[in-house]
Amino acid sequence: MSDLLTAEEYKAIAAGLDLPTQAFVDGSFRPARSGRTFDSVNPATGALLAKVAAYGPDDVDFAVQKARDAFEDGRWSRLHPGARKEVLIRLAKLVRRHARDLAVMESLDSGKTICDCETVDLPETIHCLTWHAELIDKIYDQVSPASDNHIAMVVREPVGVVGLVLPWNFPLLMLAWKIGPALAAGCSVIVKPAEETSLTALRIAELAMEAGVFNVLPGSGPDVGEPLGRHMDVDAVSFTGSTETGRRFLRYAAESNLKEVTLEMGGKTPAVVLDDAENLDRVAAHVVNGAFWNMGENCSASSRLIVQKGVKDALLDRIKAHAREWPMGDPLDPQNRVGALVSAAHFDKVRSHLGKGPKVVMGGSAEAGFVEPTILEVAPDAPQAREEIFDPVLSVLTVDSFDEAIALANDTEYGLAASIFTANVKRAIRGARAIRAGTVTVNSFGEGDISTPFGGFKASGFGGRDNSIHAHDQYTQLKTIWVDLSDDADEAVA
């Protein structure tokens, strides 16, 4: 996967792709009942890729019924754990076999660079599916310390039919983060991909046909997302996306069947650099990667640099030098590290936030769907320092002290991720504990890996975690089975 091709070779692959255009329900592709479609557009060129079936509420009812039937007949939910494991491992192998085509499809659909799709997204997707498959027969139930006359078993059961609502920034990887533990648990799943990036989810569903409980419904939020969120026969929803939309899913659950809701939402990640940080060149490389990777379209992107005054100028010089190593251009050219923003609407939103007063340290240009890596010096109350914009823009805030840096890091409605750079171990641990975020990295940018839980505090989400063994909690529920072993009826009553 790390042996990249040339831009011409990737374009030849793109020209030969057979793009899926219909929803995948109950083991086969199906058109929308209304016959409606929506355009899937290449954000780097504006060219039409495909007209994708646009599902509606009636189609959602049909898909939920098929998912419920499959769950109740036990074809997957009661399949032996070892058998489910083998199916998911075969799926991971199929994804590996088709990885290059999937990487090109992902790049075309999202504007992501082919370099990231080939070297990050596809390998991580395969690893995620395999990791959760291997975990299936390694999660044990429990027996409580009851009396000698009783056995109390605490067992996990699949929650049932689950709606998985995906974002557009990591279509394949977020799909794997959700279907891996959901299918491992024995659930029937209905995936609602983002309208902007539906193609690879449909292709993966076709590869996963053997499971028989994997459905993908492309369409808009009002036509598919809301009906899933309100459906009385959907048992749980796991959502990744904006905080605004996450709040809607809470309302949908409250106004329907009180289905379980897990939310992984926005972020405004701080990178705190203290004046005793070692190797500023290495720090700069981490900050640049955190801010500009995936065009900043990442909920845990390091969009806020909070730096102590004593090292600010030296650090910014190094950051600008590293930023020059992130060329922007055609996403199918493997030499480029910055591609196109996902859609014209998102590009317009990002462009509207540029040039609103902050001092431009580097970059600032935006044209035809592309925004170059940009560094701004901003005030703490500036929109660029407070709003999640999803752009390749690093907002710089200067502080005098450790305490001021931590206070500013926490001065946000979000709490998804953070990083702190310091050579002082005590300050590193104190800072990591004081910052209210689900993941705090020390002297690096990152999110951990598949073995560590990912999720946030405050408006960044709640209800569960993606990744790690804890991800399975979203898709299972606990049942107590109490067995009375006593021979004496009176004693049992007592």
Side-chain angles (χ1 to χ4, degrees):
M1 281 295 296
S2 60
D3 297 326
L4 297 175
L5 306 180
T6 65
E8 291 71 24
E9 288 172 315
Y10 284 119
K11 289 175 182 177
I13 293 172
L17 288 177
D18 182 15
L19 301 177
T21 60
Q22 296 185 335
F24 195 88
V25 178
D26 197 30
S28 64
F29 285 112
R30 299 172 184 267
R33 294 188 177 189
S34 67
R36 293 187 301 114
T37 63
F38 63 90
D39 292 345
S40 178
V41 175
N42 182 338
T45 65
L48 177 67
L49 294 171
K51 287 187 173 293
V52 180
Y55 258 40
D58 290 343
D59 302 299
V60 173
D61 287 341
F62 174 75
V64 172
Q65 184 59 58
K66 290 299 182 181
R68 174 60 60 191
D69 291 345
F71 183 77
E72 297 299 338
D73 69 29
R75 72 186 74 165
W76 183 255
S77 59
R78 293 196 291 274
L79 193 64
H80 189 282
R84 288 205 305 272
K85 177 174 75 171
E86 290 304 316
V87 171
L88 285 183
I89 288 175
R90 283 195 290 273
L91 171 60
K93 290 179 178 178
L94 284 171
V95 174
R96 186 183 301 277
R97 187 180 306 166
H98 296 275
R100 183 143 276 155
D101 283 357
L102 285 164
V104 173
M105 193 182 300
E106 186 94 321
S107 179
L108 289 173
D109 206 20
S110 67
K112 295 166 68 75
T113 65
I114 190 63
C115 180
D116 280 349
C117 292
E118 282 256 44
T119 63
V120 179
D121 294 48
L122 261 300
E124 289 297 317
T125 294
I126 295 164
H127 179 55
C128 179
L129 293 173
T130 304
W131 195 89
H132 285 293
E134 291 289 356
L135 195 61
I136 289 174
D137 55 5
K138 299 173 183 65
I139 298 179
Y140 287 80
D141 294 329
Q142 298 170 318
V143 177
S144 82
S147 74
D148 190 54
N149 287 328
H150 304 88
I151 291 179
M153 294 177 285
V154 182
V155 300
R156 291 172 178 252
E157 294 184 352
V159 71
V161 176
V162 297
L164 306 176
V165 184
L166 307 181
W168 46 252
N169 57 338
F170 291 92
L172 273 171
L173 191 52
M174 294 302 98
L175 176 70
W177 278 21
K178 294 190 185 298
I179 66 170
L183 292 176
C187 296
S188 294
V189 303
I190 300 173
V191 175
K192 192 270 182 219
E195 274 187 280
E196 296 87 345
T197 53
S198 297
L199 300 181
T200 50
L202 291 170
R203 184 70 178 112
I204 295 292
E206 185 181 17
L207 297 178
M209 189 182 302
E210 185 180 1
V213 293
F214 186 176
N215 309 280
V216 177
L217 307 186
S220 70
D223 289 336
V224 177
E226 182 173 348
L228 272 178
R230 293 187 180 279
H231 207 288
M232 297 297 291
D233 215 18
V234 171
D235 300 295
V237 168
S238 181
F239 167 79
T240 297
S242 71
T243 300
E244 177 185 359
T245 303
R247 289 190 173 102
R248 292 191 192 126
F249 277 100
L250 290 178
R251 290 198 296 271
Y252 302 156
E255 293 166 2
S256 58
N257 61 343
L258 287 177
K259 59 179 60 65
E260 297 181 22
V261 177
T262 300
L263 303 176
E264 195 276 280
M265 302 182 292
K268 197 65 180 173
T269 295
V272 176
V273 181
L274 303 179
D275 56 10
D276 61 354
E278 293 180 328
N279 193 345
L280 288 183
D281 190 64
R282 184 172 181 273
V283 173
H286 277 289
V287 171
V288 166
N289 184 51
F292 303 143
W293 174 52
N294 202 52
M295 293 70 71
E297 296 173 333
N298 180 11
C299 53
S300 56
S302 299
S303 54
R304 292 188 295 156
L305 171 62
I306 300 173
V307 56
Q308 273 194 276
K309 187 180 300 182
V311 294
K312 172 191 163 186
D313 292 341
L315 180 62
L316 283 180
D317 286 343
R318 288 166 173 81
I319 287 175
K320 286 186 284 186
H322 278 279
R324 298 187 193 103
E325 300 170 2
W326 286 67
M328 179 180 70
D330 180 2
L332 286 182
D333 185 340
Q335 300 302 314
N336 290 326
R337 301 185 70 182
V338 179
L341 298 190
V342 72
S343 67
H346 184 56
F347 171 76
D348 290 342
K349 171 191 170 184
V350 169
R351 184 168 56 179
S352 72
H353 280 83
L354 296 174
K356 278 191 172 181
K359 176 184 175 183
V360 178
V361 177
M362 187 196 80
S365 71
E367 186 175 353
F370 291 82
V371 175
E372 70 174 326
T374 297
I375 302 173
L376 305 176
E377 285 198 53
V378 303
D381 59 351
Q384 296 87 347
R386 306 201 67 81
E387 299 177 17
E388 185 187 46
I389 304 171
F390 255 43
D391 57 0
V393 176
L394 177 65
S395 295
V396 181
L397 301 107
T398 308
V399 295
D400 292 316
S401 67
F402 169 81
D403 290 338
E404 185 183 357
I406 300 304
L408 191 54
N410 284 329
D411 184 21
T412 173
E413 65 174 319
Y414 300 111
L416 185 59
S419 56
I420 183 168
F421 296 85
T422 174
N424 187 306
V425 174
K426 291 181 179 179
R427 292 173 98 189
I429 299 300
R430 283 173 50 213
R433 285 182 170 178
I435 294 174
R436 291 189 51 74
T439 298
V440 181
T441 57
V442 176
N443 293 328
S444 67
F445 163 77
E447 299 166 350
D449 65 13
I450 188 65
S451 68
T452 58
F454 181 79
F457 297 178
K458 301 188 287 187
S460 289
F462 63 89
R465 290 291 190 263
D466 289 318
N467 286 344
S468 82
I469 191 172
H470 300 284
H472 290 241
D473 295 341
Q474 296 182 50
Y475 308 106
T476 59
Q477 49 193 356
L478 295 180
K479 174 182 285 185
T480 296
I481 300 177
W482 184 269
V483 181
D484 191 329
L485 303 178
S486 63
D487 292 326
D488 189 300
D490 291 335
E491 182 181 349
V493 172

